[in-house]
Amino acid sequence: MTFIGKASTVGSGDTLLKRVAGYRSTAIVATCAALVMATFAAAPAGAAPTASQAAVCAEPAPGQLAARESPEVLGIDAAALAEALDFGQTKGAATTQVYRHGCLAGDRTGTGNLPIPLASTTKGVASVAVGRAITMGLFTLDDPLRKFFPQADDAHGALTVRQILTQTTGLHFSWPAEGAGIGTDQILQTLSTPIDFPAGTKFQYAQNTLALLPKIIEITARSDFQHFVQREVFGPVGISRDSWVWLRDRSGNTVVSGGLAMRADDLARLGRLMLQNGSWNGREIVDPDYVRDAAQPTDANGGYGFLLWTNVGDTHWPSFSGRSVRRIDHPILPGSPRDTYAFSGALGQLIVVVPSRDMVIVRQGIPVSIDPNNLGANLVGTGNPDNQELIRKITASVRDLPPAPVDDPYRYNDSTGPLFREPADVLFWSDPANVLAILLGTGDYADTGCNLLWCNGKPLPVDLSDTVVDASAQIAAAVAASSRGPR
């Protein structure tokens, strides 16, 4: 059963940062990952916990850390957990936090109170915000874009919220085009982007397309997206406004593809919210049906849900779309419980939720080993074998439940080979004609009235000034708040 909305029916369906010291001294803008919680051994993802599975530790109050409990009391082998945390540090993790039954079982939090850039973990946070909006009845998963953007043509107007969340819009995708969109207007670009595939059939790890989601929330909630998120999601779970930074593009659209920076402890709060099926202190923030469906795969990708990576599928398509991309014939996280899902960002920013172990894991840092023939997988969070092994070791440290079937993430050869094998690869990765059309506001993008120098009635210097002022104010507030944080 697939959640659509309370008023609807059911349907189918970042220079690399330096190591720990560097994180402490780097000015803020964000990366992170959060690890997650879970409910019980054979319980399906999103299943409501029973009384015997209820969290031992209450939700932390605003400005407070989660209660710490010894691993043994939480059914975790202390030596195994310590070994896993040590392993994480050797593999570039500046922060690793492990929570079970709502309690902090162990951590290495080298990032302290600083908001760290989350890269694509931002996408998962945006998904939570969408879930909140749907829970409030603002729109449904299967609402078409024409409902919010009447200027859209028939083809673009027929695309749905669900297809944006599952990355199956079929819109033309290339990495250079995504960068060009941030330099103009992501919304206008997306609504003019050519369609390459039938909607719902092809997974492509798009970036600018996702800007439609906060815009839909702004239209329906009649509120700035960032104000909405603080009021409806962050605030209720105890995350203060001065503890995070969220960047905007030159046109003022919130960059949900990777513009958010947050503290590790706050990522854990979001992971716990999802682990608790969208509830916090007994209040429903996100409908549990949405939480459940967000962690389920689609026909287009067995490892991807609603901007979240899921371990449910036996196969998956990686995030680094390219001509040489191939299907990966194993779950996202080999050797970890199959109900595990993750908010995943570049270089290993993770929030991992493991419902069957009632566990949340947060990881922030950089990779120390990268396969040059598999850059796409190795540079993202869940695709790097070191991160896969870290999650496997942590979940395997649970001793009061049967372990997941043994599997070694290092035994797989997921390499797709060099990015450039032939001239056609150069054209694919550079996408020159399409990128120039975006920057010049010509061709398919002529009707946007937007180009690199002039967009939405304003010249580039004005937009840049507004962007710098906004980002600077957020960063200054976050830096000041870090000295008052709980760590």
Side-chain angles (χ1 to χ4, degrees):
M1 164 171 174
T2 302
F3 179 66
I4 294 179
K6 285 182 175 291
S8 185
T9 56
V10 173
S12 61
D14 260 83
T15 38
L16 293 177
L17 296 179
K18 297 179 182 176
R19 306 297 287 274
V20 176
Y23 280 99
R24 289 187 175 280
S25 61
T26 302
I28 303 168
V29 187
T31 30
C32 231
L35 272 197
V36 175
M37 314 172 182
T39 63
F40 205 66
T50 65
S52 63
Q53 300 163 344
V56 172
C57 298
E59 293 93 333
Q64 300 297 313
L65 298 177
R68 186 184 293 271
E69 187 54 87
S70 68
E72 293 86 353
V73 169
L74 300 173
I76 296 174
D77 184 304
L81 177 58
E83 193 275 330
L85 294 173
D86 290 343
F87 172 83
Q89 284 190 305
T90 67
K91 298 302 181 179
T95 284
T96 306
Q97 298 181 341
V98 178
Y99 299 82
R100 189 164 193 232
H101 303 323
C103 311
L104 181 59
D107 76 309
R108 305 277 194 277
T109 305
T111 54
N113 295 317
L114 281 178
I116 301 301
L118 301 184
S120 286
T121 290
T122 304
K123 296 180 175 70
V125 178
S127 179
V128 177
V130 171
R132 174 57 183 161
I134 290 177
T135 302
M136 294 170 65
L138 299 182
F139 53 87
T140 74
L141 283 170
D142 294 313
D143 278 342
L145 294 188
R146 69 172 66 92
K147 181 176 180 178
F148 318 105
F149 306 102
Q151 73 272 34
D153 60 28
D154 290 343
H156 290 80
L159 298 175
T160 67
V161 173
R162 184 192 302 274
Q163 289 161 354
I164 299 172
L165 286 168
T166 58
Q167 299 276 29
T168 59
T169 63
L171 295 177
H172 177 81
F173 170 82
S174 76
W175 290 101
E178 303 303 305
I182 293 178
T184 55
D185 185 307
Q186 295 176 297
I187 305 298
L188 297 177
Q189 176 203 347
T190 298
L191 295 178
S192 298
T193 298
I195 297 178
D196 289 346
F197 305 98
T201 65
K202 175 75 172 179
F203 173 82
Q204 296 182 107
Y205 197 58
Q207 310 295 309
N208 290 339
T209 303
L210 305 182
L212 294 173
L213 296 173
K215 182 58 68 174
I216 290 171
I217 290 177
E218 291 183 346
I219 292 170
T220 57
R222 299 184 180 182
S223 170
D224 176 77
F225 173 72
Q226 295 185 18
H227 296 165
F228 174 89
V229 171
Q230 180 59 38
R231 182 180 71 245
E232 298 293 338
V233 180
F234 292 172
V237 301
I239 301 173
S240 65
R241 180 58 186 92
D242 57 4
S243 69
W244 54 273
V245 175
W246 208 329
L247 304 181
R248 303 175 188 265
D249 70 9
R250 67 165 284 186
S251 297
N253 303 305
T254 298
V255 181
V256 300
S257 58
L260 177 61
M262 296 187 77
R263 300 172 178 178
D265 299 298
D266 291 339
L267 293 177
R269 289 175 183 265
L270 295 176
R272 180 167 182 170
L273 173 67
M274 296 294 280
L275 181 63
Q276 296 177 171
N277 304 304
S279 293
W280 191 269
N281 277 328
R283 175 190 173 190
E284 183 181 279
I285 307 298
V286 181
D287 190 291
D289 286 345
Y290 181 92
V291 174
R292 181 199 64 227
D293 289 350
Q296 297 303 308
T298 67
D299 291 339
N301 193 339
Y304 204 75
F306 296 168
L307 304 181
L308 301 173
W309 293 91
T310 175
N311 210 37
V312 172
D314 293 327
T315 65
H316 68 276
W317 291 93
S319 63
F320 217 63
S321 303
R323 295 183 72 250
S324 60
V325 70
R326 65 178 176 85
R327 190 184 71 178
I328 306 300
D329 292 325
H330 63 75
I332 288 286
L333 297 169
S336 292
R338 295 300 296 274
D339 65 341
T340 303
Y341 62 94
F343 302 55
S344 178
L347 309 182
Q349 321 315 315
L350 298 167
I351 302 173
V352 180
V353 180
V354 195
S356 61
R357 299 299 182 268
D358 198 27
M359 180 174 280
V360 171
I361 305 161
V362 174
R363 192 266 188 200
Q364 296 175 317
I366 58 173
V368 296
S369 60
I370 296 175
D371 179 357
N373 289 324
N374 196 21
L375 290 174
N378 279 207
L379 287 174
V380 301
T382 53
N384 193 309
D386 289 342
N387 295 332
Q388 295 169 349
E389 178 67 359
L390 173 62
I391 305 308
R392 188 201 67 78
K393 284 176 174 288
I394 291 173
T395 57
S397 70
V398 173
R399 291 293 186 260
D400 59 359
L401 292 173
V406 176
D407 200 356
D408 178 9
Y410 293 107
R411 75 183 180 93
Y412 297 100
N413 177 16
D414 296 337
S415 297
T416 56
L419 295 180
F420 304 102
R421 295 179 176 179
E422 52 190 40
D425 290 325
V426 177
L427 288 175
F428 173 85
W429 287 106
S430 60
D431 196 19
N434 188 53
V435 171
L436 281 175
I438 295 171
L439 295 177
L440 299 177
T442 60
D444 291 316
Y445 310 94
D447 291 341
T448 66
C450 186
N451 56 59
L452 182 62
L453 298 179
W454 184 272
C455 192
N456 294 316
K458 294 186 296 182
L460 179 61
V462 172
D463 286 337
L464 288 180
S465 176
D466 291 343
T467 300
V468 169
V469 169
D470 177 69
S472 298
Q474 291 190 65
I475 291 171
V479 170
S482 67
S483 64
R484 308 189 300 269
R487 290 186 179 273

Coordinates of all heavy atoms in Angstrom, one line a residue, residues 31-84:
T31 N 28.0 19.0 5.7 CA 28.0 17.6 5.2 C 27.7 16.7 6.4 O 28.1 17.0 7.5 CB 29.4 17.1 4.7 OG1 30.4 17.8 5.4 CG2 29.5 17.1 3.2
C32 N 27.1 15.7 6.1 CA 26.8 14.9 7.3 C 26.1 13.7 7.0 O 25.6 13.5 5.9 CB 26.0 15.7 8.2 SG 26.5 15.8 9.9
A33 N 25.9 13.0 8.0 CA 25.1 11.8 7.9 C 24.6 11.4 9.2 O 25.2 11.7 10.2 CB 25.9 10.7 7.3
A34 N 23.5 10.9 9.2 CA 23.0 10.5 10.4 C 22.6 9.1 10.4 O 22.1 8.6 9.4 CB 21.8 11.3 10.7
L35 N 22.8 8.4 11.5 CA 22.4 7.0 11.5 C 21.1 6.9 12.3 O 20.7 7.7 13.1 CB 23.5 6.2 12.1 CG 24.5 5.7 11.1 CD1 25.3 4.6 11.7 CD2 24.0 5.5 9.8
V36 N 20.6 5.8 12.0 CA 19.2 5.7 12.3 C 18.9 4.7 13.3 O 19.7 4.1 13.9 CB 18.5 5.3 11.0 CG1 17.1 5.1 11.2 CG2 18.8 6.4 10.0
M37 N 17.6 4.6 13.6 CA 17.1 3.7 14.6 C 16.2 2.7 13.9 O 15.8 2.9 12.9 CB 16.3 4.5 15.6 CG 17.0 5.7 16.1 SD 15.9 6.6 17.2 CE 16.9 8.0 17.6
A38 N 15.8 1.7 14.7 CA 15.0 0.6 14.1 C 14.1 0.0 15.2 O 14.2 0.3 16.3 CB 15.8 -0.4 13.5
T39 N 13.2 -0.9 14.8 CA 12.3 -1.4 15.8 C 12.5 -2.8 16.3 O 12.6 -2.9 17.5 CB 10.8 -1.3 15.2 OG1 10.8 -2.2 14.1 CG2 10.5 0.1 14.8
F40 N 12.6 -3.8 15.5 CA 12.8 -5.1 16.1 C 13.2 -6.1 15.0 O 13.1 -5.8 13.8 CB 11.6 -5.6 16.8 CG 11.8 -6.6 17.9 CD1 12.5 -6.2 19.0 CD2 11.4 -7.9 17.8 CE1 12.8 -7.1 20.0 CE2 11.6 -8.8 18.8 CZ 12.3 -8.4 19.9
A41 N 13.7 -7.3 15.4 CA 14.3 -8.2 14.5 C 13.6 -8.4 13.2 O 14.2 -7.9 12.2 CB 14.4 -9.6 15.2
A42 N 12.5 -9.0 13.1 CA 11.9 -9.2 11.8 C 10.8 -8.2 11.5 O 10.1 -8.4 10.5 CB 11.2 -10.6 11.9
A43 N 10.8 -7.1 12.2 CA 9.8 -6.1 11.9 C 10.1 -5.4 10.6 O 11.2 -5.0 10.3 CB 9.7 -5.0 13.0
P44 N 9.1 -5.2 9.7 CA 9.4 -4.5 8.5 C 9.7 -3.0 8.7 O 9.3 -2.4 9.7 CB 8.1 -4.7 7.7 CG 7.0 -4.8 8.8 CD 7.7 -5.5 9.9
A45 N 10.4 -2.4 7.7 CA 10.7 -1.0 7.8 C 9.5 -0.2 8.0 O 8.5 -0.4 7.3 CB 11.5 -0.5 6.6
G46 N 9.5 0.7 9.0 CA 8.4 1.6 9.2 C 7.3 1.0 10.1 O 6.3 1.6 10.4
A47 N 7.5 -0.3 10.6 CA 6.5 -0.9 11.5 C 6.5 -0.2 12.8 O 7.6 0.2 13.3 CB 6.9 -2.4 11.7
A48 N 5.4 0.0 13.4 CA 5.3 0.7 14.7 C 5.8 -0.2 15.8 O 5.5 -1.4 15.9 CB 3.8 1.0 15.0
P49 N 6.6 0.4 16.7 CA 7.2 -0.4 17.8 C 6.1 -0.8 18.8 O 5.2 -0.1 19.0 CB 8.2 0.5 18.4 CG 7.8 1.9 18.1 CD 7.1 1.7 16.7
T50 N 6.3 -2.0 19.3 CA 5.4 -2.4 20.4 C 5.9 -1.9 21.7 O 7.0 -1.3 21.8 CB 5.4 -4.0 20.4 OG1 6.7 -4.5 20.8 CG2 5.0 -4.6 19.1
A51 N 5.2 -2.2 22.8 CA 5.6 -1.7 24.1 C 7.0 -2.2 24.5 O 7.8 -1.5 25.1 CB 4.5 -2.0 25.1
S52 N 7.2 -3.5 24.2 CA 8.5 -4.1 24.6 C 9.6 -3.5 23.8 O 10.8 -3.7 24.1 CB 8.4 -5.6 24.4 OG 8.2 -5.9 23.0
Q53 N 9.3 -2.9 22.6 CA 10.4 -2.3 21.8 C 10.5 -0.8 22.0 O 11.3 -0.2 21.4 CB 10.0 -2.5 20.3 CG 9.9 -4.0 20.0 CD 9.1 -4.2 18.7 OE1 8.5 -3.3 18.2 NE2 9.2 -5.3 18.1
A54 N 9.8 -0.3 22.9 CA 9.8 1.2 23.1 C 11.2 1.7 23.5 O 11.9 1.0 24.2 CB 8.8 1.6 24.2
A55 N 11.5 2.9 23.1 CA 12.8 3.5 23.4 C 13.1 3.5 24.9 O 12.2 3.9 25.7 CB 12.9 4.8 22.8
V56 N 14.3 3.2 25.3 CA 14.7 3.2 26.7 C 14.9 4.7 27.1 O 14.5 5.1 28.2 CB 16.0 2.4 26.9 CG1 16.5 2.6 28.4 CG2 15.7 0.9 26.7
C57 N 15.4 5.5 26.2 CA 15.7 6.9 26.5 C 14.7 7.8 25.8 O 14.4 7.6 24.7 CB 17.1 7.2 26.1 SG 18.4 6.3 26.9
A58 N 14.2 8.8 26.6 CA 13.3 9.7 26.0 C 13.9 10.6 25.0 O 15.2 10.8 25.0 CB 12.6 10.5 27.1
E59 N 13.1 11.2 24.1 CA 13.7 12.2 23.2 C 14.4 13.3 23.9 O 13.9 13.8 24.9 CB 12.5 12.7 22.3 CG 11.9 11.7 21.4 CD 10.6 11.1 22.0 OE1 10.6 11.0 23.3 OE2 9.7 10.7 21.3
P60 N 15.5 13.7 23.4 CA 16.3 14.8 24.1 C 15.6 16.1 24.0 O 15.0 16.4 22.9 CB 17.6 14.8 23.4 CG 17.3 14.2 22.0 CD 16.3 13.2 22.3
A61 N 15.6 16.9 25.0 CA 15.0 18.2 25.0 C 15.8 19.1 24.1 O 17.0 18.8 23.8 CB 14.9 18.8 26.4
P62 N 15.2 20.2 23.6 CA 16.0 21.1 22.8 C 17.3 21.6 23.5 O 17.2 21.9 24.7 CB 15.0 22.3 22.6 CG 13.7 21.7 22.7 CD 13.8 20.6 23.7
G63 N 18.4 21.6 22.8 CA 19.6 22.0 23.4 C 20.3 21.0 24.2 O 21.4 21.3 24.8
Q64 N 19.8 19.8 24.3 CA 20.3 18.8 25.2 C 20.8 17.6 24.3 O 20.3 17.4 23.2 CB 19.3 18.2 26.2 CG 18.8 19.3 27.1 CD 19.9 19.9 28.0 OE1 20.7 19.1 28.6 NE2 20.0 21.2 28.1
L65 N 21.8 16.9 24.8 CA 22.3 15.7 24.1 C 21.4 14.5 24.4 O 20.7 14.5 25.5 CB 23.7 15.3 24.4 CG 24.8 16.4 24.1 CD1 26.1 15.9 24.6 CD2 24.8 16.6 22.6
A66 N 21.3 13.5 23.6 CA 20.6 12.3 23.9 C 21.2 11.6 25.1 O 22.5 11.7 25.3 CB 20.6 11.3 22.7
A67 N 20.4 11.0 25.9 CA 21.0 10.3 27.1 C 21.9 9.2 26.6 O 21.7 8.5 25.6 CB 19.8 9.7 27.9
R68 N 23.0 9.0 27.4 CA 24.0 8.0 27.1 C 23.7 6.8 27.9 O 23.4 6.9 29.1 CB 25.4 8.5 27.2 CG 26.5 7.5 26.8 CD 27.9 8.1 27.1 NE 28.2 9.3 26.3 CZ 28.7 9.2 25.1 NH1 29.1 8.1 24.6 NH2 29.0 10.3 24.4
E69 N 23.9 5.6 27.3 CA 23.7 4.3 28.1 C 24.8 3.4 27.7 O 25.3 3.5 26.6 CB 22.3 3.7 27.8 CG 22.0 2.5 28.7 CD 22.1 2.8 30.2 OE1 21.1 3.3 30.8 OE2 23.2 2.5 30.7
S70 N 25.2 2.5 28.5 CA 26.2 1.6 28.2 C 25.8 0.6 27.1 O 24.6 0.2 27.1 CB 26.7 0.7 29.4 OG 25.6 -0.1 29.8
P71 N 26.7 0.2 26.2 CA 26.3 -0.7 25.1 C 25.6 -2.0 25.6 O 24.7 -2.5 25.1 CB 27.6 -1.0 24.4 CG 28.5 0.2 24.7 CD 28.1 0.6 26.1
E72 N 26.2 -2.5 26.7 CA 25.7 -3.8 27.2 C 24.2 -3.7 27.6 O 23.4 -4.6 27.3 CB 26.5 -4.3 28.4 CG 27.9 -4.7 28.1 CD 28.9 -3.5 28.1 OE1 28.4 -2.3 28.2 OE2 30.1 -3.7 28.0
V73 N 23.8 -2.6 28.2 CA 22.4 -2.4 28.6 C 21.5 -2.4 27.4 O 20.4 -2.8 27.4 CB 22.3 -1.1 29.5 CG1 20.8 -0.8 29.7 CG2 23.0 -1.3 30.8
L74 N 22.1 -1.9 26.3 CA 21.3 -1.7 25.1 C 21.4 -3.0 24.2 O 21.0 -2.9 23.0 CB 21.8 -0.5 24.3 CG 21.7 0.8 25.1 CD1 22.4 2.0 24.3 CD2 20.2 1.2 25.3
G75 N 22.0 -4.0 24.7 CA 22.1 -5.3 23.9 C 23.2 -5.2 22.8 O 23.1 -5.9 21.8
I76 N 24.2 -4.4 23.1 CA 25.3 -4.3 22.1 C 26.6 -4.8 22.7 O 26.9 -4.5 23.9 CB 25.4 -2.8 21.7 CG1 24.2 -2.3 20.9 CG2 26.7 -2.6 20.8 CD1 24.2 -0.8 20.6
D77 N 27.4 -5.5 22.0 CA 28.7 -5.9 22.4 C 29.6 -4.7 22.4 O 29.9 -4.1 21.3 CB 29.2 -7.0 21.4 CG 30.6 -7.5 21.9 OD1 31.5 -6.8 22.1 OD2 30.7 -8.8 22.0
A78 N 30.1 -4.3 23.6 CA 30.9 -3.1 23.7 C 32.2 -3.1 22.9 O 32.6 -2.1 22.3 CB 31.1 -2.8 25.2
A79 N 32.8 -4.3 23.0 CA 34.1 -4.4 22.3 C 33.9 -4.3 20.8 O 34.7 -3.7 20.1 CB 34.8 -5.7 22.7
A80 N 32.9 -5.0 20.3 CA 32.6 -5.0 18.9 C 32.2 -3.5 18.4 O 32.6 -3.1 17.3 CB 31.4 -5.9 18.5
L81 N 31.4 -2.8 19.2 CA 31.1 -1.5 18.9 C 32.3 -0.6 18.9 O 32.5 0.3 17.9 CB 30.0 -0.9 19.8 CG 29.6 0.6 19.6 CD1 29.1 0.7 18.2 CD2 28.6 1.0 20.6
A82 N 33.2 -0.7 19.9 CA 34.4 0.1 19.9 C 35.3 -0.2 18.7 O 35.9 0.8 18.1 CB 35.1 -0.2 21.2
E83 N 35.3 -1.4 18.3 CA 36.1 -1.8 17.1 C 35.6 -1.2 15.9 O 36.3 -0.7 15.0 CB 36.2 -3.3 17.0 CG 37.2 -3.8 16.0 CD 36.7 -3.9 14.6 OE1 35.5 -4.0 14.4 OE2 37.6 -3.7 13.6
A84 N 34.3 -1.1 15.8 CA 33.6 -0.5 14.6 C 33.9 1.0 14.6 O 34.2 1.6 13.5 CB 32.1 -0.8 14.7

